[in-house]
């Protein structure tokens, strides 16, 4: 699974890859602060940030699912 995730992350454009990694970087209170700083830096609302992350996650989930299917078949 980790190998598939790593491969799929490599297929994202650099901006999306950095965004998703930074978004999930911290825990608890630090995560909330990090996400607010991230939305401020990008000049978007927290809701828009969540929507962007959701779209990136969907792309990654599809890619990882495809990768796992190929790995199991091979």
């Amino acid at each position: 699974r980790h190998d598939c995730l790593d491969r799929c992350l490599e297929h994202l454009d650099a901006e999306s890859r950095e965004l998703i990694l930074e978004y999930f970087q911290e825990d608890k209170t630090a995560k909330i602060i990090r996400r607010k700083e991230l939305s401020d830096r990008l000049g978007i609302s927290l809701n828009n940030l969540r929507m962007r992350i959701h779209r990136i996650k969907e792309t990654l989930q599809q890619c990882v699912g495809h990768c796992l299917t190929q790995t199991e078949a091979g």
Side-chain angles (χ1 to χ4, degrees), residues 3-43:
D3 290 339
C4 284
L5 178 58
D6 287 341
R7 276 187 252 154
C8 291
L9 282 168
E10 289 176 13
H11 289 301
L12 292 174
D13 61 87
E15 182 181 338
S16 294
R17 184 174 47 253
E18 290 173 27
L19 182 61
I20 194 101
L21 292 173
E22 188 171 348
Y23 187 84
F24 288 107
Q25 192 170 28
E26 304 288 342
D27 290 326
K28 301 185 183 189
T29 304
K31 178 172 30 179
I32 295 167
I33 294 168
R34 165 79 64 178
R35 291 176 181 180
K36 176 66 176 139
E37 290 171 348
L38 189 53
S39 71
D40 288 345
R41 189 174 79 227
L42 295 172

Side-chain angles (χ1 to χ4, degrees), residues 43-54:
I44 60 175
S45 69
L46 282 171
N47 191 48
N48 283 342
L49 176 61
R50 286 184 199 103
M51 289 170 44
R52 266 194 205 180
I53 293 298
H54 177 73

